[in-house]
Amino acid sequence: MANMGKISTIIKTSLTVYLVVFFDFVVVCGSIDPYATLGVSRSASTKEIKKSYKQLAREWHPDKNSDPGAGERFMEIQNSYEILSDESKRSQYDQYGYVDENESQRGDNMFRGFQFPGGGSYSFKFSSGGGQRSKPSRVTLGKLQSQILPESYSKPFLLLLTGDWCFSCMRVESLWDQIKTDLESAGLGSGKVNADYDYNVLRYLGVYRKPSVVVIIQETVYKYEGNEISIEHLKRFVADLLPSSLITRVNDNNAASFLGQFTATNKPSVLLFTRRSTPSGLYKLLAFKFHNKMNFGFVQTTDSQSISTISEFDIQWKQRELLIFKENVESPAEELEISNVKADKLNDFLSSNQHLYAPRLTSQPLYEELCPETPYSHSKSYCVVLCLKQSQVMSQTHQSFIHVAMTSGQLSDQFKVKFAYIVEEKQAAFIRNLKQPEPSAGTLSVFVLWRIDDRRAYTQWFPGGWQRDQPDTDKTNLANYLASIKWSKAKELPELNDEFAPNIISRLFHYLVQMLKSGFRSVWDLFAYGSFNELSLILTVGLIYLLCLLLVFFGLIVPPKKREEEERRNSEEREDYREGNRQQSEGEVRQRRPAGSSNSSGYKQRDERKLNIQWLSSRTYDHLIRNPQRSQILLVLLVTDETKSTLFRSFLREVCDDFPQCKVLLFSYLNLNSQLRWCEELLAKECSKGQMVGTVLAIRPSKKYFSLFTPKDRDREEDNDSLFQLSEEEKLETALDGLSMWLGQLLDGGLPKHSVEKWPEMD
């Protein structure tokens, strides 16, 4: 029986090992062939692999290809390029027929999940890491750097950090699988990072706790700190992180300039009409995705300053309408009622209107997008390009060309034609290569282009040029010319300059910012996780040296000679201070010096009479009266431009002696030159500036009442004897006499209170 038990144990162990090897073999055999996927031979050079990858990625990108399997095909292309672009991975694939990025982990954990004979029990569990190797949602360091980070400038990415033996990850992971589709339909990218297998990704992100959710926007990593993971919470979190400058608030004052900026930006304008005071999170996501292609704005239909704009485009205030404007700013090119429209339809609506009718060729990517490669004659497409100088933009001839582009539906369908224009001063090398003929008087040169590969294209100059005021004739002549065009030899054209590329200072600043971010991440890894590298050592030494310099600069580390001099000066000042106290105790009365004056010893006496008085205006109105932070009494001194300095001195004299540290009182002033109407509404009577100057209002914002201090001698008749009449300056000096006593009564609750229903609005 004992021998039978041993035999049974050996059989179970052998079967277990066989199953592990079998399943590993299945995983390997199920992997893709990167050479076949990219359509290159095994001897292909790096340049050939890159060229094939660019063509296939452009063709199968999910945003440009509506095929249901485009996403999966695109991931296969990405993974294949990741293997063949890395020398070590390509060598491993050539030798063994597969690439195992987790070879070290596999070696250590190959038999994890079951026990060897003698352990008493046999449990079998496959690690999820092996299965995740073939999942398109898995994020590796190569995928993060080559795909996610570049795309994060047009699409936010949410990544879930999880692991195999993280029990708290199980619930989050199941919930993540449910909401992933909703996230992607809303325009967000998503993926999973296995912390057990892709630790280098965690180091790059700077997040080590699992489970965690991070958002990547414009190559910047943000950690989600919320307690609940749901589609609404995540979308709201991402929307709050998006740049607020992407969407312009449009009203009657700036509508014309917003719609007319297409000449400068070379982009259509998207205008959302909504009742909301702020655009929705979905609209922010769409604006972020298409911000390089379109200008985004929104109009609040309930805003009184947008009445003309709303009526001009016949928008009902209850409607949620999305309009797209191109060269014709008086009428939208496309419009869509979006009350019950899903995100994917909005995405398609914007994708089909990304360009003007005749956009300017400003960069090589735009040129390749407008004039795609069509190497076969049966599927060729044409680009009709107008050549002009910067001063001729939006001239009569240019507008005639735009008119033909706007009304060329049948022509575009028949010949697959797209229209564009190019500015000679900006793209001199490109124009020079075409050998532009001299246009006849009153015309502009136009060329027709058929692009057959990356650089080469057939080009022909349109005979006769483009007329100034004969768009119908030019349109007919162009159709006849395209039907009978004969091509000569294809030319290799230079790349177009990027007219909107940042200058060298901007690029240098961006590079320095990225270097600093990488450096601080390395220092954090060193101190928090003991992860050492050369960059972290250099930066740590530099930071310590910089900290020492700052300490010396601020006097925290004082050199010995300077310390002795400081101690001697402090000792002399203490002696002077004691001498002054002794003389005052003997009965000597000293007059208080103004700030900045000094005694005979050179010791400066500080003026402690300081008071923080805030200006009550439309900007400070919210936090002082409408939404006060604490239950305080707000003292408001009413002044004019002419009386402000004198009344401030009187106010300081009355308040500082008895109430400088009173935490219940908050001090402010109101300028009657601009806010007299507010005082009249508060007091419910007509007032003049002369009557109100020097008045003090004690406002209790939270209780909605106030008390009133009237300046001294306001209602008393003056003595007719001019000898005893006071000047205006003297009246102001004594206007606030008795204010300190009045404040004492106020704090004791012994003053009459005037109630208000609500505080008046301030201009």
Side-chain angles (χ1 to χ4, degrees):
M1 294 297 292
N3 292 335
M4 289 296 292
K6 290 182 180 179
I7 294 172
S8 176
T9 300
I10 293 172
I11 292 174
K12 289 180 180 178
T13 305
S14 303
L15 180 61
T16 301
V17 175
Y18 172 79
L19 287 173
V20 172
V21 175
F22 173 78
F23 276 100
D24 192 70
F25 176 79
V26 170
V27 169
V28 171
C29 291
S31 60
I32 59 175
D33 181 0
Y35 292 104
T37 303
L38 295 182
V40 295
S41 64
R42 290 183 172 269
S43 60
S45 64
T46 305
K47 187 176 181 180
E48 291 173 335
I49 292 171
K50 186 175 182 180
K51 181 179 179 181
S52 177
Y53 161 73
K54 287 177 65 178
Q55 288 180 335
L56 291 171
R58 198 180 302 121
E59 178 184 353
W60 288 96
H61 196 285
D63 291 343
K64 299 180 180 179
N65 195 318
S66 58
D67 192 300
E72 186 176 353
R73 174 67 172 159
F74 182 74
M75 289 303 306
E76 291 179 359
I77 294 168
Q78 288 281 350
N79 294 334
S80 299
Y81 180 70
E82 185 178 342
I83 293 172
L84 298 185
S85 61
D86 189 307
E87 292 292 336
S88 60
K89 292 180 181 179
R90 183 178 180 182
S91 175
Q92 186 180 0
Y93 182 83
D94 290 339
Q95 277 187 294
Y96 307 109
Y98 72 98
V99 174
D100 188 356
E101 297 179 355
N102 310 294
E103 189 171 354
S104 59
Q105 287 90 341
R106 282 172 50 82
D108 295 337
N109 301 293
M110 183 174 180
F111 298 102
R112 181 176 59 182
F114 64 91
Q115 300 174 3
F116 284 99
S121 62
Y122 300 90
S123 59
F124 186 82
K125 174 181 172 65
F126 286 105
S127 169
S128 62
Q132 287 186 5
R133 285 203 302 269
S134 59
K135 288 185 178 180
S137 61
R138 181 193 172 195
V139 176
T140 62
L141 184 62
K143 180 179 177 180
L144 178 70
Q145 294 176 330
S146 65
Q147 179 185 346
I148 293 178
L149 292 179
E151 288 189 17
S152 68
Y153 284 90
S154 60
K155 179 168 66 173
F157 278 85
L158 283 95
L159 304 182
L160 174 64
L161 278 59
T162 182
D164 289 344
W165 300 106
C166 169
F167 294 103
S168 58
C169 299
M170 295 179 182
R171 185 184 64 83
V172 177
E173 202 164 346
S174 61
L175 181 63
W176 183 267
D177 292 336
Q178 295 173 17
I179 67 176
K180 185 180 73 170
T181 305
D182 293 331
L183 291 173
E184 292 175 349
S185 65
L188 301 170
S190 64
K192 287 184 186 178
V193 179
N194 191 309
D196 299 326
Y197 290 87
D198 296 303
Y199 187 75
N200 50 3
V201 178
L202 270 63
R203 286 186 56 192
Y204 189 92
L205 297 175
V207 180
Y208 297 87
R209 185 171 63 86
K210 54 183 180 179
S212 294
V213 176
V214 298
V215 178
I216 302 179
I217 297 177
Q218 295 179 339
E219 296 192 18
T220 303
V221 180
Y222 304 92
K223 185 178 178 182
Y224 176 69
E225 302 287 355
N227 296 324
E228 181 180 351
I229 296 181
S230 66
I231 181 66
E232 293 302 325
H233 284 80
L234 291 175
K235 286 198 295 187
R236 192 180 304 117
F237 177 67
V238 173
D240 291 340
L241 294 175
L242 296 175
S244 58
S245 59
L246 295 177
I247 302 175
T248 304
R249 188 184 184 94
V250 179
N251 52 37
D252 296 342
N253 299 323
N254 64 343
S257 59
F258 175 79
L259 298 178
Q261 63 181 326
F262 68 89
T263 305
T265 62
N266 198 38
K267 296 187 287 188
S269 297
V270 183
L271 201 55
L272 172 66
F273 289 83
T274 177
R275 284 180 290 173
R276 299 178 52 157
S277 58
T278 56
S280 64
L282 176 59
Y283 191 60
K284 289 182 180 179
L285 287 170
L286 291 171
F288 183 73
K289 180 177 182 179
F290 293 98
H291 73 276
N292 288 325
K293 300 291 184 67
M294 312 177 92
N295 304 310
F296 285 83
F298 84 100
V299 178
Q300 185 181 358
T301 54
T302 56
D303 186 5
S304 59
Q305 297 184 354
S306 304
I307 295 176
S308 299
T309 305
I310 296 169
S311 60
E312 181 180 355
F313 300 114
D314 194 22
I315 303 295
Q316 302 298 323
W317 73 276
K318 290 185 177 180
Q319 283 182 299
R320 295 184 65 214
E321 199 83 14
L322 193 65
L323 307 184
I324 296 181
F325 294 85
K326 297 186 178 181
E327 285 91 341
N328 184 7
V329 299
E330 296 179 356
S331 177
E334 296 287 347
E335 56 185 299
L336 179 67
E337 213 286 322
I338 60 171
S339 297
N340 298 308
V341 176
K342 293 185 178 180
D344 52 353
K345 187 173 181 180
L346 281 173
N347 186 77
D348 296 340
F349 179 68
L350 296 177
S351 298
S352 59
N353 290 281
Q354 295 184 66
H355 302 295
L356 299 169
Y357 291 117
R360 184 167 85 249
L361 295 180
T362 56
S363 64
Q364 185 68 17
L366 180 59
Y367 161 69
E368 293 176 357
E369 191 172 347
L370 291 173
C371 309
E373 296 177 14
T374 51
Y376 305 108
S377 58
H378 66 274
S379 61
K380 62 178 176 290
S381 63
Y382 298 133
C383 275
V384 179
V385 185
L386 175 71
C387 297
L388 44 73
K389 301 185 184 307
Q390 184 65 51
S391 59
Q392 296 170 327
V393 174
M394 295 309 293
S395 62
Q396 189 174 353
T397 309
H398 185 198
Q399 293 185 31
S400 170
F401 183 79
I402 293 174
H403 176 74
V404 172
M406 292 171 59
T407 59
S408 62
Q410 184 177 357
L411 184 66
S412 299
D413 294 339
Q414 182 180 357
F415 296 103
K416 297 182 181 178
V417 176
K418 291 185 179 179
F419 293 82
Y421 75 95
I422 191 169
V423 177
E424 298 175 8
E425 294 94 332
K426 303 287 186 180
Q427 308 293 346
F430 190 89
I431 297 295
R432 195 184 310 117
N433 193 276
L434 296 177
K435 298 180 180 179
Q436 176 185 5
E438 188 67 29
S440 56
T443 65
L444 291 176
S445 300
V446 172
F447 66 87
V448 181
L449 181 143
W450 169 24
R451 183 163 164 261
I452 57 175
D453 60 23
D454 239 5
R455 288 293 185 86
R456 294 188 308 135
Y458 292 104
T459 58
Q460 288 287 356
W461 290 96
F462 180 52
W466 203 267
Q467 307 297 320
R468 178 180 301 174
D469 52 1
Q470 300 178 15
D472 294 334
T473 303
D474 287 327
K475 183 177 179 180
T476 303
N477 293 339
L478 178 62
N480 295 333
Y481 181 70
L482 293 177
S484 60
I485 191 171
K486 294 182 179 179
W487 302 102
S488 56
K489 186 179 178 181
K491 296 180 181 179
E492 186 169 338
L493 301 176
E495 285 194 0
L496 275 77
N497 302 322
D498 190 349
E499 298 179 14
F500 295 109
N503 55 37
I504 187 170
I505 297 177
S506 301
R507 292 198 299 270
L508 180 61
F509 177 76
H510 179 73
Y511 175 76
L512 291 175
V513 169
Q514 295 299 322
M515 284 291 294
L516 285 173
K517 287 168 63 177
S518 301
F520 281 113
R521 187 184 294 118
S522 299
V523 173
W524 173 257
D525 289 345
L526 175 64
F527 287 103
Y529 304 99
S531 177
F532 173 81
N533 57 37
E534 295 81 357
L535 181 60
S536 61
L537 177 63
I538 295 171
L539 284 173
T540 303
V541 174
L543 286 173
I544 294 173
Y545 183 73
L546 181 61
L547 181 61
C548 292
L549 288 179
L550 290 174
L551 291 174
V552 171
F553 180 77
F554 287 108
L556 298 178
I557 299 178
V558 185
K561 291 185 179 180
K562 190 172 181 180
R563 187 186 299 114
E564 292 176 3
E565 185 179 349
E566 288 282 342
E567 290 178 355
R568 181 178 57 80
R569 187 182 300 112
N570 291 337
S571 177
E572 292 177 357
E573 290 180 353
R574 285 194 297 270
E575 288 295 329
D576 291 342
Y577 183 74
R578 283 196 289 268
E579 178 66 18
N581 286 343
R582 185 185 63 77
Q583 292 178 1
Q584 288 184 4
S585 66
E586 293 174 355
E588 180 180 349
V589 179
R590 296 194 177 194
Q591 183 181 2
R592 180 179 290 179
R593 296 182 177 87
S597 64
S598 59
N599 57 15
S600 58
S601 65
Y603 174 72
K604 292 186 179 180
Q605 184 178 3
R606 296 179 182 175
D607 183 6
E608 297 180 354
R609 298 201 307 165
K610 294 181 179 178
L611 196 66
N612 182 23
I613 305 179
Q614 301 185 59
W615 179 24
L616 179 58
S617 64
S618 57
R619 293 185 178 181
T620 59
Y621 182 73
D622 280 348
H623 76 269
L624 287 179
I625 292 184
R626 183 177 293 157
N627 300 309
Q629 295 180 353
R630 292 180 293 181
S631 179
Q632 292 179 317
I633 299 175
L634 179 67
L635 289 184
V636 184
L637 174 64
L638 306 185
V639 301
T640 60
D641 292 336
E642 299 79 12
T643 62
K644 182 164 57 175
S645 58
T646 305
L647 287 174
F648 276 3
R649 288 196 302 270
S650 302
F651 192 70
L652 186 67
R653 182 183 66 244
E654 292 291 325
V655 172
C656 274
D657 290 337
D658 299 315
F659 307 96
Q661 303 298 328
C662 183
K663 296 183 178 179
V664 178
L665 298 178
L666 195 64
F667 306 102
S668 67
Y669 72 94
L670 183 77
N671 196 324
L672 293 171
N673 293 89
S674 57
Q675 298 296 343
L676 180 61
R677 184 195 61 80
W678 186 83
C679 294
E680 291 177 341
E681 289 187 19
L682 179 66
L683 301 176
K685 66 177 183 179
E686 293 187 3
C687 308
S688 65
K689 288 188 288 185
Q691 291 175 331
M692 300 304 298
V693 165
T695 300
V696 177
L697 301 173
I699 296 176
R700 192 71 181 269
S702 59
K703 302 293 185 181
K704 291 192 177 179
Y705 68 78
F706 68 93
S707 299
L708 196 65
F709 172 80
T710 306
K712 182 183 177 182
D713 298 336
R714 169 61 52 82
D715 301 321
R716 192 178 68 185
E717 293 184 1
E718 294 184 354
D719 197 327
N720 291 330
D721 190 352
S722 61
L723 182 63
F724 299 100
Q725 287 184 352
L726 299 176
S727 66
E728 292 298 326
E729 184 71 19
E730 291 172 332
K731 290 180 182 178
L732 292 174
E733 288 284 354
T734 60
L736 298 180
D737 288 354
L739 178 61
S740 59
M741 185 179 298
W742 182 85
L743 287 175
Q745 295 175 354
L746 173 70
L747 296 177
D748 292 337
L751 293 177
K753 301 171 183 176
H754 307 280
S755 299
V756 294
E757 292 184 4
K758 67 174 184 177
W759 301 111
E761 294 294 329
M762 184 167 284
D763 297 334

